């Protein structure tokens, strides 16, 4: 009996670790003939900034859409036939596991391990840790390469 993934969510945020996670998602999606859902969640915890610089959220959203488009093109060039991009606002650690994955009936989430300090992990927890804890599907956390 063989199992294959049908809907794979890969979380991207512009970081090197997220890029590494995206690159790992390509052969997995191709091998499984899966739909690759590339998602970026704009963290809205910093809403106070927009009160002082109203246009900044528009600029951040434009950059996020450009990032998603770049990854979509790269996925299609890698031979992934079914690619979906999804931009959302909110807390990435909550949205990815509890909203994005269920919305797309994901059976695998791929994300990068975060570079939070030990203190930050104790206080707020990492995005990947939260995804592992609350996702209703398999999760692959891609770690930074050792140098």
């Amino acid at each position: 009996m063989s199992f294959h993934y049908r809907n794979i969510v890969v979380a991207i945020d512009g970081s090197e670790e997220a890029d590494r996670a995206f690159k790992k998602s390509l052969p997995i999606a191709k091998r499984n003939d899966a739909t690759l859902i590339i998602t970026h969640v704009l963290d809205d915890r910093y809403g106070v900034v927009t009160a002082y610089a109203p246009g900044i959220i528009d600029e951040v959203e434009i950059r996020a859409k450009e990032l998603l488009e770049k990854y979509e093109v790269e996925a299609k060039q890698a031979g992934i036939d079914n690619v979906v991009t999804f931009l959302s606002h909110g807390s990435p650690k909550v949205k990815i596991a509890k909203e994005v994955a269920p919305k797309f009936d994901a059976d695998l989430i791929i994300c990068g391990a975060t570079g939070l300090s030990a203190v930050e992990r104790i206080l707020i927890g990492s995005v990947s840790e939260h995804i592992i804890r609350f996702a209703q599907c398999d999760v692959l956390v891609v770690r930074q390469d050792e140098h």
Side-chain angles (χ1 to χ4, degrees), residues 15-83:
S15 69
E16 284 184 33
E17 285 189 341
D19 187 63
R20 199 170 292 109
F22 171 76
K23 293 213 178 353
K24 278 213 175 174
S25 76
L26 297 175
I28 297 169
K30 189 167 177 75
R31 185 171 55 245
N32 286 275
D33 193 27
T35 298
L36 184 63
I37 301 101
I38 307 166
T39 188
H40 182 54
V41 179
L42 289 173
D43 198 332
D44 64 1
R45 289 179 299 169
Y46 307 108
V48 174
V49 173
T50 61
Y52 295 101
I56 198 158
I57 195 71
D58 294 333
E59 183 64 31
V60 170
E61 195 163 311
I62 288 168
R63 287 191 182 151
K65 287 177 182 175
E66 288 171 350
L67 186 63
L68 286 169
E69 288 171 10
K70 171 184 145 327
Y71 281 120
E72 179 180 17
V73 167
E74 193 173 331
K76 288 181 177 177
Q77 288 174 342
I80 312 300
D81 294 324
N82 302 312
V83 181

